[in-house]
Amino acid sequence: MKWIVGLGNPGTAYAGTRHNVGFMAVDALAKRFGISVTQSKSKGLLGEGNVAGTKVALLKPMTFMNLSGESVRGYMDYYKANLEDLIVVYDDLDTEIGKIRLRYQGSAGGHNGIKSIIQHTGTQIFNRVRMGISRPEPGMNIADYVLSNFPKSEADKVASMVDQTCDAIEYALTHPFDQTMAKYNR
């Protein structure tokens, strides 16, 4: 089974924020694949289905960003899920707004959700899709920035980025991740 974890913060107050693009991507995948992500499991919301002959699980941790690893670990333990079948989707300050970057390993890069996953899984080796939110203007607080909503002027770039993320993940369901990286890291 392939499992896709979108990182974000629960609650309507965070729904449209930069930090919640991982949730946005999972919601878009759920719509695309006809999967309902409403089952409460492993400290998150879970949905399962079949896509192109592959069993797929979509997970949105409800632990808040900094504790995302608790939900990931809980899912791994309960379902005996393999890390090589995991794809984590999250926001990235160092990637330009509207762009995505795929990686299969690396440090947390200052992202507390990824740091929590590394802590709870004991490894930095897992597939990732980083969704670009760009850095804020000099002097703006990072926490305030990532918890701010996207302005209307960025709506088209965000929508395109979510679609591209979904395309990459759908491709990764039936292709090795290194091939997916070669196709989508441009």
Side-chain angles (χ1 to χ4, degrees), residues 9-185:
N9 286 310
T12 57
Y14 300 104
T17 65
R18 296 173 187 276
H19 225 16
N20 272 37
V21 293
F23 277 11
M24 292 176 201
V26 165
D27 290 342
L29 286 167
K31 184 175 181 181
R32 182 183 283 201
F33 299 154
I35 296 173
S36 176
V37 182
T38 56
Q39 187 180 11
S40 184
K41 287 274 189 191
S42 305
K43 296 184 180 182
L45 293 178
L46 176 68
E48 296 176 319
N50 284 294
V51 179
T54 302
K55 189 167 181 178
V56 175
L58 302 175
L59 178 65
K60 292 169 45 175
M62 294 286 116
T63 55
F64 285 94
M65 185 67 75
N66 296 354
L67 302 174
S68 297
E70 292 179 8
S71 181
V72 169
R73 182 83 240 176
Y75 181 87
M76 280 180 62
D77 292 346
Y78 186 81
Y79 289 96
K80 308 294 185 241
N82 296 316
L83 277 175
E84 57 267 13
D85 295 324
L86 168 65
I87 300 173
V88 179
V89 186
Y90 63 101
D91 60 291
D92 183 51
L93 289 164
D94 294 321
T95 302
E96 180 184 336
I97 186 84
K99 304 284 184 190
I100 66 170
R101 297 294 297 164
L102 286 72
R103 297 180 68 186
Y104 65 89
Q105 69 178 356
S107 71
H111 194 285
N112 289 329
I114 296 298
K115 184 188 297 183
S116 177
I117 292 171
I118 290 169
Q119 177 187 359
H120 284 86
T121 62
T123 185
Q124 295 182 1
I125 301 171
F126 52 87
N127 302 322
R128 310 148 193 232
V129 179
R130 301 180 321 188
M131 300 176 72
I133 62 169
S134 299
R135 287 212 167 259
E137 297 294 321
M140 184 174 189
N141 179 284
I142 296 286
D144 291 341
Y145 177 74
V146 299
L147 295 177
S148 68
N149 288 323
F150 288 101
K152 289 184 182 188
S153 62
E154 294 175 347
D156 288 343
K157 286 183 178 180
V158 173
S160 176
M161 177 175 62
V162 169
D163 285 342
Q164 187 178 17
T165 298
C166 291
D167 291 345
I169 290 171
E170 187 169 7
Y171 186 84
L173 296 178
T174 55
H175 296 81
F177 200 74
D178 60 343
Q179 286 181 18
T180 307
M181 288 171 53
K183 181 175 173 117
Y184 288 93
N185 280 342

